[in-house]
Amino acid sequence: MTFDSQAYAVQLEEKVTRLRDLLAPFDAPEPAVFDSPLKNFRLRAEFRLWREAGDRHYAMFSQEDKRTPILIEEFPIASLRINQLMPQLKAAWQASAALSHKLFQVEFLTTLAGDAMITLCYHRPLDEHWHAAASKLATELNVSIIGRSKGKREVIGHDYVVEKLEVGGRTFSYRQPEGAFTQPNGTVNQKMLNWAYDALGDRSDDLLELYCGNGNFTLPLATRVRKVLATEISKTSVNAALSNLSENAVDNVTLVRLSAEELTEALNEVRPFRRLHGIDLKSYEFGSVFVDPPRAGMDPNTCELTRRFDNILYISCNPETLAANVAQLHDTHRITQCAMFDQFPWTHHMESGVLLTRR
């Protein structure tokens, strides 16, 4: 793969044009554009292992052909740390039957702050020989190692990495658990956080956040408002978010494990939820809502819920569903800010953001 800057510029402009065209019916302003490093931008990677010539090799498969492996020695779009660890790990399993026996998949998770974790997946139970070899390797590589076999997980070190991101002149620390969603492009994520921080601005009222994940946006946005009610359905992400709020001494956030659809029912007083026990929803003075939904976008009822708020700050990983949601809201809200974040260079995927304000 070549990393030609002119080819990248052409692809970037194609993405901007696509977003511009999708939002043109809504009189959106010209999008701010946040580019990506051309390589070494991806902080996580997952490889199957493929046996050939008596050894295991890192392998990936194309979307068109799931049977023919592409054997890999290095992965230039991945972080420098992943590329450093790949040959070191391969040498370790080549030298150790305890590490290599029935090993079929490897996952790397790294951070801009320099932390790293390797997950090793096996078609066998893990024994004391594996634990001894993996512990020695974790020390040598200065990483945490997770061993996974059917229904079992062994943790050597931590089952998370720690990221540090600067937003609005403050450094936030994020615990990112193994297996949970994290933004893959840390450099662009930091740009995205700063854009959202600036777009929300300093406010004296409250913020509702849907789909909060591990608190990626929650931490900096909480410093812009009086208090936050945040929701997330994944238990792993909720636990990480609670840890991150505590670690960063952010004390004005109440986090509830509800889906966006369930919170909509609660706010509409359709039915009560035990998970909201002790939380007075009527005590909030919501002026803004922040949403970062999955690729399908917001369902119609959640979209209608956001219409109640003067400001809707929306981060999207799918510009088509973003445009569909904006169309539903266009009669009451208009796009006042717009941005394109090149989270996934060399692919057609992108992240985008809009600030909608009440007409």
Side-chain angles (χ1 to χ4, degrees):
M1 182 176 182
T2 58
F3 295 93
D4 180 77
S5 59
Q6 285 186 308
Y8 174 74
V10 168
Q11 188 189 66
L12 186 67
E13 184 54 37
E14 287 172 351
K15 293 182 182 182
V16 174
T17 299
R18 181 171 154 224
L19 180 63
R20 189 187 291 128
D21 291 348
L22 282 166
L23 298 183
F26 315 113
D27 301 317
E30 183 65 14
V33 179
F34 298 91
D35 63 356
S36 170
L38 272 62
K39 60 181 181 177
N40 301 127
F41 52 81
R42 189 173 176 85
L43 295 175
R44 63 175 191 251
E46 177 182 307
F47 303 100
R48 293 300 298 267
L49 298 191
W50 192 264
R51 289 187 73 91
E52 190 166 290
D55 196 12
R56 287 176 172 81
H57 303 271
Y58 296 107
M60 300 185 84
F61 297 83
S62 71
Q63 293 287 348
E64 296 74 32
D65 183 356
K66 296 293 188 182
R67 294 175 175 239
T68 306
I70 302 166
L71 303 186
I72 294 170
E73 294 298 324
E74 58 182 16
F75 195 43
I77 68 169
S79 68
L80 290 172
R81 188 79 196 279
I82 290 176
N83 280 278
Q84 174 194 41
L85 289 169
M86 285 173 67
Q88 295 174 328
L89 177 61
K90 185 174 183 179
W93 81 57
Q94 286 174 330
S96 170
L99 290 174
S100 64
H101 183 49
K102 295 196 175 180
L103 174 65
F104 73 92
Q105 183 167 300
V106 173
E107 300 165 13
F108 296 92
L109 180 60
T110 61
T111 69
L112 296 176
D115 207 357
M117 177 169 58
I118 300 172
T119 302
L120 305 174
C121 303
Y122 291 87
H123 286 311
R124 68 172 177 93
L126 302 178
D127 56 20
E128 66 273 12
H129 301 294
W130 178 87
H131 199 279
S135 297
K136 180 172 179 288
L137 181 62
T139 300
E140 290 172 352
L141 300 184
N142 190 28
V143 299
S144 291
I145 290 181
I146 310 292
R148 283 193 172 273
S149 61
K150 188 176 182 180
K152 299 286 186 180
R153 187 179 76 144
E154 295 278 344
V155 179
I156 298 169
H158 300 292
D159 64 349
Y160 59 86
V161 291
V162 175
E163 180 63 286
K164 294 186 183 295
L165 299 172
E166 186 170 316
V167 186
R170 174 177 170 180
T171 300
F172 292 91
S173 176
Y174 292 90
R175 181 178 293 193
Q176 300 179 339
E178 186 246 355
F181 174 79
T182 54
Q183 297 287 349
N185 189 324
T187 302
V188 176
N189 182 39
Q190 187 163 258
K191 295 177 180 182
M192 194 160 62
L193 291 173
N194 276 283
W195 178 84
Y197 176 89
D198 291 338
L200 182 62
D202 269 326
R203 304 187 56 83
S204 58
D205 52 16
D206 303 329
L207 174 70
L208 174 65
E209 181 182 4
L210 308 179
Y211 324 96
C212 79
N214 73 343
N216 185 48
F217 287 94
T218 318
L219 299 182
L221 295 185
T223 68
R224 301 294 250 173
V225 296
R226 189 177 67 126
K227 57 182 180 176
V228 179
L229 178 65
T231 70
E232 171 57 48
I233 193 62
S234 162
K235 188 176 290 186
T236 302
S237 294
V238 166
N239 290 337
L242 290 171
S243 173
N244 291 335
L245 290 166
S246 175
E247 175 70 22
N248 291 274
V250 175
D251 59 4
N252 63 336
V253 176
T254 298
L255 179 58
V256 291
R257 196 167 71 83
L258 290 175
S259 68
E261 295 80 3
E262 287 171 330
L263 184 72
T264 300
E265 291 184 346
L267 290 171
N268 288 337
E269 299 182 352
V270 173
R271 65 188 179 104
F273 289 88
R274 289 178 61 189
R275 282 165 283 171
L276 284 169
H277 179 71
I279 298 172
D280 181 8
L281 293 179
K282 290 185 169 61
S283 71
Y284 286 87
E285 298 174 9
F286 293 119
S288 307
V289 59
F290 175 78
V291 296
D292 182 10
R295 288 191 59 78
M298 291 188 288
D299 68 274
N301 289 336
T302 303
C303 202
E304 280 304 304
L305 171 68
T306 65
R307 191 194 297 278
R308 301 180 185 184
F309 304 93
D310 289 341
N311 304 292
I312 305 168
L313 189 53
Y314 191 143
I315 295 289
S316 169
C317 60
N318 184 343
E320 277 78 19
T321 55
L322 169 66
N325 284 159
V326 170
Q328 185 174 340
L329 297 164
H330 186 56
D331 59 330
T332 56
H333 289 73
R334 62 188 180 91
I335 301 176
T336 54
Q337 292 189 47
C338 177
M340 197 288 285
F341 310 98
D342 198 19
Q343 184 83 244
F344 309 98
W346 312 114
T347 76
H348 71 280
H349 296 292
M350 64 169 136
E351 296 264 333
S352 50
V354 294
L355 175 65
L356 297 133
T357 55
R358 190 178 300 283
R359 294 182 180 279

